[in-house]
Amino acid sequence: MTHVLNQFPQQLNGQIQVPGDKSISHRALILGAVANGRTTITNLLLAEDTRSTLTALQDLGIQIEQKGTQTTVIGQGGFTFRPQQTTLQMNNAGTATRLLLGLLVRQPQALTLIGDQSLSQRPMQRVLAPLNQMRQQVADNETVHLPIIIQANQQLEPLDYQLPVASAQVKSALMLAAIQAPGTSHITEIAQTRDHTERLLRQFGGQVTAKGLQHTLTGPQQLTGTDVIVPGDFSAAAFWLTAGLLVPNSRINLPQVGVNPTRTGFLTVLALMGATIEQTQLSGPEFSESFADLTVETQALTGIEVPATLIPNVIDELPLVALLGTQASGQTIVRHAAELRVKETDRIRAIVIELRKLGASIEELPDGFIVTGPTVLHKTSQVPLNSHGDHRIAMMLEIASLLTPDTLQLEATDAIAISYPNFENDLQGLIN
Ligand code: S3P
């Protein structure tokens, strides 16, 4: 689909209840499936990505019921499934694919995981190599991408592994395998990544201990169904934080957003750029994650070099950091972010190509970019903007379009439905 972007609001005002957190939604469904008893999930993200997880679990024989804002997963109380299908269609869902590779390590029948064109190009060796150390063979050693045939092996060995990349998906996949392996596994990160799996595992009665960057899990473990309240997705809220900062005279409230400190590097980046975001912390025993109401108002920004240590905790918001950099005074520098090249698209390339179409001064680096601002964004050519099939690039460009009176075209907007189907309506609500 192509969107015509022709809104140039004088202000954005109002409140947006952002959709449920995508990372937590995938994990709650998966852990619910293997737990004993029922799991009720409130505010599960119902978007294309999490529907891929839901359907894959149903294809594996799991019963899942949806009523209003509540999803109930009837846990099977174990890790071997009775699949209804031998091919699982993962579409665009990288998190779900990697987590399932870890979850299905003891599956007795061969299963094939397939995905769309983007997912079929994303690196899977980072999960397959350590899983192969645990059970000799998940897929054959030549496999680096989908399709992947998961092969049976009931003899699982514990793992002692140092991750070569900062990746919560890989860490989580290995944890899901480790809780099935008899014995003690040690999984060590190179930098702290989002810890949703650890928190949820504990909520489901599992045990994982962390000492610095090393996680210890002893298996086999049994999980028990629980009630999960999914916070608003911080990565979705980040689009409105950006819009509120950049569009003049704005004030936007974002209630009940997840503010897990391993996810909110973007708030630190904003503070370093000179912005203040109001945060009212919410607490209660029902929350296994931190929730806060966030409020943003228009503010002037200064360019910064994003500290390398923050990169894993702001990884999904870096397209927005680039956009903010076009409006900040001075240089905004992102380095040590080569992981952006293996997301839903090569996000470094996509950011540079697309923001240049809007007149941004942005230089591509092998592992990031340098933006020099401030720039008055405008249409520089007849070539339409393009999302590169990436939901986060599409939404970043829609926010960018609010800053120019020029009429723009954005191609391949269907990608937005991967994580935020109601994005357009929410935007309209702020403009009207
Ligand atoms: C995610 C981890 C990150 C992130 C992705 C969601 C997760 O990916 O970019 O959007 O839910 O674990 P990596 O683990 O590849 O860094």
Side-chain angles (χ1 to χ4, degrees):
M1 245 200 306
T2 298
H3 276 175
V4 175
L5 307 175
N6 57 4
Q7 308 205 76
F8 182 50
Q10 298 308 297
Q11 57 174 52
L12 295 175
N13 257 293
Q15 174 162 308
I16 290 178
Q17 182 82 55
V18 293
D21 186 282
K22 181 158 94 67
S23 292
I24 297 173
S25 294
H26 286 302
R27 287 161 170 80
L29 286 168
I30 288 172
L31 293 178
V34 292
N36 273 306
R38 298 164 89 86
T39 290
T40 61
I41 308 171
T42 305
N43 197 34
L44 182 83
L45 171 68
L46 290 171
E48 279 180 12
D49 227 36
T50 43
R51 284 189 197 278
S52 296
T53 307
L54 205 144
T55 307
L57 291 171
Q58 286 172 329
D59 287 346
L60 285 167
I62 299 296
Q63 207 186 322
I64 302 173
E65 293 159 7
Q66 183 67 40
K67 257 199 205 136
T69 58
Q70 214 164 64
T71 310
T72 304
V73 184
I74 317 295
Q76 63 173 8
F79 291 83
T80 44
F81 294 85
R82 284 177 296 281
Q84 322 274 306
Q85 306 278 341
T86 52
T87 298
L88 303 179
Q89 172 55 267
M90 304 311 298
N91 301 302
N92 193 250
T95 304
T97 301
R98 292 181 174 134
L99 265 54
L100 285 189
L101 288 173
L103 187 80
L104 294 170
V105 281
R106 289 186 62 243
Q107 184 56 31
Q109 304 88 358
L111 286 169
T112 306
L113 267 60
I114 59 172
D116 69 6
Q117 210 196 344
S118 152
L119 186 61
S120 301
Q121 289 169 11
R122 296 185 68 188
M124 294 296 154
Q125 196 56 23
R126 50 182 59 193
V127 187
L128 297 178
L131 288 181
N132 283 340
Q133 282 183 26
M134 296 180 80
R135 52 170 228 151
Q136 300 93 38
Q137 203 181 30
V138 169
D140 64 57
N141 286 330
E142 310 304 312
T143 305
V144 291
H145 298 128
L146 295 188
I148 292 172
I149 302 171
I150 303 179
Q151 292 160 357
N153 188 342
Q154 297 285 313
Q155 308 300 319
L156 207 55
E157 286 173 17
L159 180 69
D160 199 340
Y161 191 69
Q162 162 98 47
L163 274 83
V165 283
S167 167
Q169 293 179 359
V170 178
K171 170 180 68 173
S172 302
L174 300 181
M175 287 182 168
L176 291 175
I179 57 172
Q180 302 177 56
T184 298
S185 292
H186 300 288
I187 299 162
T188 308
E189 300 190 80
I190 51 167
Q192 178 157 33
T193 60
R194 61 191 71 190
D195 66 356
H196 304 305
T197 304
E198 295 90 303
R199 285 172 190 259
L200 272 185
L201 265 177
R202 292 188 195 108
Q203 196 185 334
F204 277 87
Q207 284 188 345
V208 45
T209 55
K211 204 167 158 203
L213 295 173
Q214 189 186 66
H215 306 276
T216 302
L217 305 98
T218 300
Q221 298 192 13
Q222 290 223 323
L223 304 178
T224 307
T226 183
D227 295 340
V228 179
I229 302 177
V230 181
D233 195 322
F234 180 78
S235 298
F239 294 101
W240 309 122
L241 293 177
T242 304
L245 286 167
L246 299 184
V247 174
N249 312 309
S250 297
R251 183 178 168 87
I252 305 173
N253 296 315
L254 303 160
Q256 297 183 17
V257 178
V259 287
N260 178 324
T262 63
R263 262 301 276 291
T264 48
F266 188 59
L267 290 178
T268 313
V269 169
L270 294 181
L272 293 170
M273 294 181 93
T276 307
I277 307 295
E278 270 175 54
Q279 260 194 80
T280 310
Q281 210 73 25
L282 310 172
S283 62
E286 67 276 28
F287 302 139
S288 71
E289 292 274 349
S290 321
F291 285 55
D293 294 339
L294 304 179
T295 303
V296 60
E297 289 183 342
T298 314
Q299 288 163 66
L301 303 169
T302 312
I304 58 158
E305 171 149 10
V306 176
T309 50
L310 272 186
I311 295 292
N313 309 131
V314 61
I315 192 77
D316 288 344
E317 287 65 64
L318 290 175
L320 292 170
V321 173
L323 174 59
L324 289 163
T326 69
Q327 303 307 300
S329 48
Q331 285 195 324
T332 296
I333 304 172
V334 168
R335 292 202 174 100
H336 309 286
E339 275 295 299
L340 286 180
R341 295 209 182 266
V342 292
K343 295 293 178 191
E344 284 82 331
T345 187
D346 175 344
R347 284 190 180 153
I348 296 178
R349 258 237 55 73
I351 289 167
V352 170
I353 291 173
E354 299 307 319
L355 286 180
R356 275 192 187 151
K357 289 181 190 165
L358 293 174
S361 162
I362 179 164
E363 187 190 325
E364 180 172 353
L365 302 175
D367 61 347
F369 48 81
I370 301 177
V371 197
T372 307
T375 314
V376 177
L377 297 184
H378 61 287
K379 181 173 175 169
T380 62
S381 82
Q382 292 309 315
V383 182
L385 298 172
N386 194 296
S387 76
H388 300 239
D390 184 315
H391 54 131
R392 300 200 195 281
I393 299 293
M395 290 185 278
M396 179 274 281
L397 292 170
E398 294 229 355
I399 302 296
S401 78
L402 302 175
L403 307 178
T404 171
D406 298 346
T407 297
L408 304 168
Q409 291 208 322
L410 172 59
E411 291 179 338
T413 51
D414 315 47
I416 293 173
I418 286 169
S419 64
Y420 200 157
N422 209 34
F423 180 81
E424 298 294 340
N425 286 340
D426 282 352
L427 175 58
Q428 281 319 311
L430 291 178
I431 293 175
N432 297 327

